[in-house]
Amino acid sequence: MVFARSRPVLARYDVSSHMNKWWKGQKPTDGQVTRCLSPYEQQVVVPWVKSFPKRAYDKFSDSWIYWGGCAVLTVGTAVGADEADAAQDRSHRY
């Protein structure tokens, strides 16, 4: 029996075999209920990636008038300032 000692380690399917030593060190406390997530149970980014296109479209369609108005005002101010500066430079040429 070459793998006689590793057989109990491989008996659990909810914990990876290389993480068994890590989770074995966790000591239970009397009367206190705690919850721990292993790194394999956490899915932080996946739900966000799945819902991102719909949420982005909804946010854009709700507020495009504000963003568009702000962009027009900003570009208009920059173009107007450049034209006023060029006109002032031309008026003091000689």
Side-chain angles (χ1 to χ4, degrees):
M1 298 297 271
V2 178
F3 296 110
R5 291 188 176 182
S6 64
R7 190 175 299 145
V9 172
L10 299 175
R12 290 190 63 181
Y13 298 107
D14 61 336
V15 177
S16 297
S17 59
H18 67 281
M19 294 293 285
N20 195 15
K21 186 174 182 180
W22 173 275
W23 289 106
K24 192 188 308 182
Q26 179 184 6
K27 294 188 173 35
T29 56
D30 294 330
Q32 182 180 3
V33 178
T34 59
R35 294 182 70 182
C36 299
L37 288 178
S38 77
Y40 300 108
E41 293 178 40
Q42 296 179 3
Q43 291 188 355
V44 178
V45 178
V46 174
W48 179 78
V49 170
K50 288 181 180 178
S51 66
F52 176 73
K54 183 182 181 316
R55 289 181 61 208
Y57 177 76
D58 289 342
K59 286 187 178 209
F60 178 76
S61 64
D62 287 344
S63 63
W64 70 270
I65 191 113
Y66 301 111
W67 289 105
C70 189
V72 167
L73 186 63
T74 303
V75 170
T77 302
V79 168
D82 288 342
E83 289 177 0
D85 184 49
Q88 185 180 15
D89 288 344
R90 285 191 296 273
S91 69
H92 295 294
R93 191 174 289 179
Y94 295 108

